[in-house]
Amino acid sequence: MEKFFKMSERGSSVGTEIRAGLTTFLAMAYIIAVNPALLMDAGIAPAAAVTSTCLGAGIMTILMGLFSNRPVACASGMGINAILAYTLVGMTGGDWHAAMAVIFVEGIAILVLVLCGLREAIMDAIPVSLRHAISVGLGLFIAMIGLADGGVIVANESTMVALGNVSDPKFIVGLVSIVASIILYAMNVKGSLLWGILIAVVAGIPLGVTQIPTGVVSFLDFSSFGAPFQADANGVMGIAKVVTTPTLLVFAFSLMMSDFFDTMGTAMAIGKQGKFLNEDGTVENIKEILTVDSAAAAVGGFIGASSITTFVESASGAADGGRTGLSSIMTGALFIIASFFSPLITMISSAATCGALVVVGFLMMGDVVDIDWTDLLQGFPAFMIVAGIPLTYSISNGIGMGFICYVLVAIVTGQVKKVKPLMWVATAAFVLYFLLV
């Protein structure tokens, strides 16, 4: 085990990896309740939605640990699952099999790009300042997710965003989570983020935020597996609808762009916390990470779980000491176990994970000093990424805004030679992406 995972070489241990894997799982556990709810709206049976969500996340996270040997976890991606349920199913005439086929096609396409080396090559073409900006933007995004989950910030029609109700039980649990996490982290307590989550879970019981489960065991349902190749009431397979409908193929391209750059940013965020992000912003073992991530998207469509992708919440486990794929295997194993005991797992409210995400967001802000803000070509595009990711609530949108601004500033300042060929390609793709979405 030591020879395969290289724990000592990376300053870790079996105990640390197991704890980090548990931290990541708890930070991601909300997906066990949220994703099936969206899939049910799409028309998938409840038991099948839970089964595909848990097993898809578990299997792909274990594979990520084995192939990349990094603390990276996967699950059905938020955003795309909502698009599938409320937009894509409508475009397919209410046929969720065809909607899953779009996800399947998108996953296959992006896997081909990875195997051809294009996805990794585009990452290498990104200026160092923009790589640092992506990390900072992801930090703000993660913190924003945590604060929203904890009810600390809420939507507001007048000011767009506002402070939540301080007497709201959800706000109180979120605050407990933040305070507990930062105090334990400041005291160098091992597993501080995990303990912060558990303390908040306990605090949420008398406040009614932590729901006591009504059951213990849930049964597996594999009826959504093979979704793209299942037929609708007219006997037409989902995959056949997709490949013969141009609008669905264009939609698959839009999803591919989102997946393409979401994972790139997420990998950098996790790499920063897991100590496998190099000084120039490149991510070690990125090809293995991107390969599994791309395959996961196709697998998600195949089993009816929506697109499975790398989760930015993995950074919480990396910040808690995870350095190898063993932590991912632990996270994956817990997802598989959860497929049988989802009523117990859903006790963990999103508010309880607020502190872990806020602390991770804080830790990722360090890259801001590595950006030359006095250089317009480096500073302004970086600013657009840093601001764009959290304010549009989209990693890919923020990155796209920064890429386009980089090329525009390079043109007007006479520095076109600094734009690498693949940056032109990526920027053109983003322009097309923004026109289509």
Side-chain angles (χ1 to χ4, degrees), residues 292-317:
V292 176
D293 176 85
S294 302
V299 169
F302 180 79
I303 68 175
S306 184
S307 180
I308 298 174
T309 187
T310 301
F311 253 54
V312 74
E313 284 87 349
S314 303
S316 62

Side-chain angles (χ1 to χ4, degrees), residues 205 208-215 343-344 347:
I205 295 176
V209 176
T210 299
Q211 300 298 318
I212 304 301
T214 56
L344 289 177
M347 285 180 62

Side-chain angles (χ1 to χ4, degrees), residues 82-260:
I83 291 171
L84 181 141
Y86 303 123
T87 301
L88 198 48
V89 169
M91 292 177 63
T92 60
D95 183 8
W96 64 267
H97 304 98
M100 288 297 175
V102 173
I103 302 295
F104 179 74
V105 168
E106 175 261 325
I108 294 297
I110 204 167
L111 178 60
V112 170
L113 292 179
V114 171
L115 296 178
C116 291
L118 181 60
R119 198 174 182 186
E120 187 178 358
I122 289 178
M123 288 189 69
D124 291 339
I126 300 172
V128 174
S129 61
L130 300 194
R131 297 178 194 174
H132 289 307
I134 292 170
S135 181
V136 175
L138 260 294
L140 291 174
F141 186 53
I142 292 170
M144 185 177 179
I145 292 172
L147 292 171
D149 286 346
V152 179
I153 58 173
V154 295
N156 184 287
E157 290 186 4
S158 300
T159 62
M160 293 184 285
V161 65
L163 182 69
N165 182 355
V166 297
S167 62
D168 185 343
K170 184 178 179 181
F171 184 104
I172 296 172
V173 172
L175 187 61
V176 168
S177 177
I178 294 173
V179 172
S181 297
I182 195 62
I183 288 176
L184 294 171
Y185 181 82
M187 295 173 64
N188 294 316
V189 174
K190 289 186 177 181
S192 56
L193 302 186
L194 172 59
W195 282 112
I197 293 173
L198 295 178
I199 290 170
V201 168
V202 174
I205 295 176
L207 293 171
V209 176
T210 299
Q211 300 298 318
I212 304 301
T214 56
V216 176
V217 179
S218 56
F219 297 98
L220 302 186
D221 181 347
F222 299 96
S223 61
S224 67
F225 281 50
F229 303 96
Q230 294 183 26
D232 62 9
N234 298 317
V236 180
M237 287 195 302
I239 192 72
K241 283 187 180 181
V242 174
V243 298
T244 57
T245 307
T247 55
L248 293 180
L249 290 175
V250 170
F251 204 92
F253 168 77
S254 297
L255 292 179
M256 184 185 73
M257 282 293 293
S258 178
D259 257 356
F260 194 108

